[in-house]
Amino acid sequence: MPELGQNQYGKAECRVVRVVRDGAVHHIKDLNVSVALSGDMDEVHLSGSNAHVLPTDTTKNTVYAFAKEHGIASAEQFGIHLARHFVSSQEPIRTARIRIEEYAWDRIETSGEARHSFVRSGRETRTAQISYDGTRWEVLSGLTDLTVLNSTDSEFWGYVKDKYTTLPEARDRILATEVHARWRSGWSDDTLPMPDWERAYAETRGHLLTAFAETYSLSLQQTLYQMGARVIEQRPDIDEIRLSLPNKHHFLVDLEPFGLKNDNEVYFAADRPYGLIEATVLRDGATPRIPTD
Amino acid sequence: MPELGQNQYGKAECRVVRVVRDGAVHHIKDLNVSVALSGDMDEVHLSGSNAHVLPTDTTKNTVYAFAKEHGIASAEQFGIHLARHFVSSQEPIRTARIRIEEYAWDRIETSGEARHSFVRSGRETRTAQISYDGTRWEVLSGLTDLTVLNSTDSEFWGYVKDKYTTLPEARDRILATEVHARWRSGWSDDTLPMPDWERAYAETRGHLLTAFAETYSLSLQQTLYQMGARVIEQRPDIDEIRLSLPNKHHFLVDLEPFGLKNDNEVYFAADRPYGLIEATVLRDGATPRIPTD
Amino acid sequence: MPELGQNQYGKAECRVVRVVRDGAVHHIKDLNVSVALSGDMDEVHLSGSNAHVLPTDTTKNTVYAFAKEHGIASAEQFGIHLARHFVSSQEPIRTARIRIEEYAWDRIETSGEARHSFVRSGRETRTAQISYDGTRWEVLSGLTDLTVLNSTDSEFWGYVKDKYTTLPEARDRILATEVHARWRSGWSDDTLPMPDWERAYAETRGHLLTAFAETYSLSLQQTLYQMGARVIEQRPDIDEIRLSLPNKHHFLVDLEPFGLKNDNEVYFAADRPYGLIEATVLRDGATPRIPTD
Amino acid sequence: MPELGQNQYGKAECRVVRVVRDGAVHHIKDLNVSVALSGDMDEVHLSGSNAHVLPTDTTKNTVYAFAKEHGIASAEQFGIHLARHFVSSQEPIRTARIRIEEYAWDRIETSGEARHSFVRSGRETRTAQISYDGTRWEVLSGLTDLTVLNSTDSEFWGYVKDKYTTLPEARDRILATEVHARWRSGWSDDTLPMPDWERAYAETRGHLLTAFAETYSLSLQQTLYQMGARVIEQRPDIDEIRLSLPNKHHFLVDLEPFGLKNDNEVYFAADRPYGLIEATVLRDGATPRIPTD
């Protein structure tokens, strides 16, 4: 009989918005929460018995109930509450993994004192993944879709040429990418002091932007390493970071047929194909744990 | 023989990025430009003769060449250059319509003096549509995907109840929408002074946000009208505005089964279905020209 | 005071799946229904009074109730039931427009006699738009995303060359497009016999495919006209058709740098930009009513 | 200094269409190919030296050149040609991973003998992933977005109830999912006979559909296991399969407020949240190699 391997289940993409009212001043958190549970689940696969199955509908209800009971101090903290609950309250559930996307909102300033109006910041999406097996925690914070561009200080030359190479070398090009990053916190145990997740996120994001902007780039790989290294060096709480950087090509348009000189001024922003550069950067001696794709 | 009716053609979605270098300080404009031309085009439909057809590939080339020749002072101004060119340079082409999306970028501030690093603001997309028939101009400026939310000061009650009505009345609800707006400039003739399109956009966007935030809402229709009316009243250069506001429902989650009271704190943000509220607001006496959907 | 212009409201994207059980054999209809109502709605915009407003939540409930009460014989027939109901049952509502998308499912054949298993056909999406003002009907049937390709029998040459033209002429190219079509039925009055909407759809779709495949093309405009003309000629029940055909460019890859000859064998399928060809074809003497974009 | 961990690079999403002309009868293959290479790449990350870097532009060129040189017998075979080339021709490159999506086209039948017209089948997307380290091959074939539905023969009851459980048990429900599957071939060595990849795909797809349709389901996990087990039992060439099945909820609409009985006839097809059920099924004794998410 075919064997059952790794398996997991849960409710994905529970959209929860939490409002906190501090008099006339309101605060909001806007999350998309996905739960994945695993454990002693052979029977439901083999015979269809649901005796060990907490319904995905219940995991969804728990997300909304916990938004009230615990509030949402940060995506990471909220995920920690949820993961601990599922593993500790249901004997057959041995591990829980909570994934969260967070959408940021800025305040609309008005002349009055009431402050309950918001405009969604469409910039990056913040992410968090919390895994728990009853003993150890693994927290991966991150972001996706942070689109950045340097309009100069990027070169690309000195590469291998084989029979299929036609690309001309470039001494001044646009470098643009959409940053996808996940970083692993050193916090892994309830006995350790909990990090300030909100501040850690804001500062790490800042380091990524600064390193991107300040690196004179000879390759997107070099820029990637500088971004990761800066985070590892500046954030003692982070042991590992994985970056995935699509090279959003901006091709210089050939205007010579029209009698015009294109002095790095007019570019075609291409969709596909795109270069894709991915790497992990680690604190010296750390064990890599963030999955590679 | 079946008759040929209205027809148009051109190249859609030309992605052009224009860099202006002011020493170490760079500026960028990032557009998506679509061209639609019409005129004396019966033959290409009926016999396949392309004798009157400027290829769509050429209209694309023109977009890139004009980004160099004229620069991109604003989406509207760029579209005006393009539309005038097509209508005035090709006898069979009688009308041109240029549609533009503009993506905003913010500067990444660094410690040095060089300023050529940018992060894409994902907030709204700015739009412009420029139509020209050789004599009159019609310029529709606008925006899409400006997502806003009031966490209170919204009610909904006193509506019609028929046999299919089950909705309970609400005295305090979240009101959220994704603003899609197009407004028509009074500028329609080369003899009139050209508006400052950049400033007009920024200020109109501000009026929409302010009206949304400051309206105590009894219905999304009322909020819509207040947003449109504020633009018409504050901007003498705008004669008409069309707003399309999806009601992004945030449903209060029933936490009573879990012994919890939900005091307007925890919401489920729904995807579909959604209410959709659309209307035109006009300067008194103006003729509506913005198409309704 | 700024004037209120055209306005409409309703619930958009109500996803309804209707199962009919004929013993062990089941049938399903899978629709996405959007309702837009207009009429005597000034007050809700100006003062926020909802006294004339049937809530969008009620319009959604009506969609589901009617799926039970009337069944879904076809998208068009279902929309006619809904539109008639809203206009005739609510005095302030003067016009209703129902838009429907339909997703097709094929049967999964199994060895047993039970037939209740389906696989979604991802091909085109069928569309219908039903408008009613209490007297006259306008029914636009249609489809979107029907992607077709001829790998030969397409040329493009003899076009206008201006100073921005660089495109070489082509005597044998791939012609590919994604058909978006809407056609208007001659049925406009309850006294006329109702068409067989299911059969009309299947046959019209067939005419579009046949005309695309059988036209030796000198321009996409010519192909478009042949597609529209065939529908008008073969379907006496259709008075007008509007086609929007993006030219999904397949560019012949230059393999000469690698010492290879590309004899119309290897193509790059491009995303953006794309040509966009749009036109209406009418029965001789018919009045165009399908909106142009 | 922070350490560089796993890294890879290449060109993603090269869209290649290959036409084969057999007289008037044409055949097409439509692929989206992504290349990821890794090896001795420390320097490009640390110093920006590209001396070991074959440009991603070259990997793209190679895709198009190989479509001519080798043809595209199947996605898997095409990926094998590419992976072997990169690893064997560039000393610093030690491993190559090729990912491919394939879009199916059906023939448009016409009355004449010419057969070069196609309509894209929008059903599932076929996938392939080929990994090579110079010695061993790993080939994962698969599919995504195969949407299936059983309108009866599905129950869900007997599950755990905790304080957050509100879901009523169901004795007859719709079961619908969007199948995402990847299966691993036993072929791992050039000395073994190469499978017939086209036939293996068609038959495996058939087994998945049959098992979905024929399983009387007490849980989606049970259906998943039956689908995986059938593939392992019927296909001696496949050692492992990973299935990811979102539970596309179809909720029975409560029509009682309208005086109507809903006898499993009218459903609301929900978007989010959705259950997500994932598992691996293995040949007894096989080592799991397909990554879990």
Side-chain angles (χ1 to χ4, degrees), chain A residues 44-97:
Chain A
V44 64
H45 291 88
L46 302 181
S47 74
S49 161
N50 292 300
H52 285 186
V53 176
L54 188 72
T56 66
D57 188 76
T58 301
T59 69
K60 176 202 70 179
N61 286 348
T62 310
V63 168
Y64 291 103
F66 272 39
K68 167 68 183 178
E69 291 187 81
H70 299 280
I72 302 178
S74 65
E76 287 85 353
Q77 177 64 74
F78 189 60
I80 288 166
H81 282 304
L82 286 166
R84 188 191 308 276
H85 166 77
F86 292 120
V87 172
S88 62
S89 68
Q90 291 296 327
E91 197 283 328
I93 296 175
R94 305 290 153 68
T95 67
R97 187 202 68 203

Side-chain angles (χ1 to χ4, degrees), chain B residues 7 18 72 87 99 110 206 231 235 274 278 285:
Chain B
N7 59 85
R18 176 65 156 95
I72 302 179
V87 172
R99 282 191 178 155
T110 53
V231 169
R235 303 284 321 168
Y274 50 90
E278 300 175 286

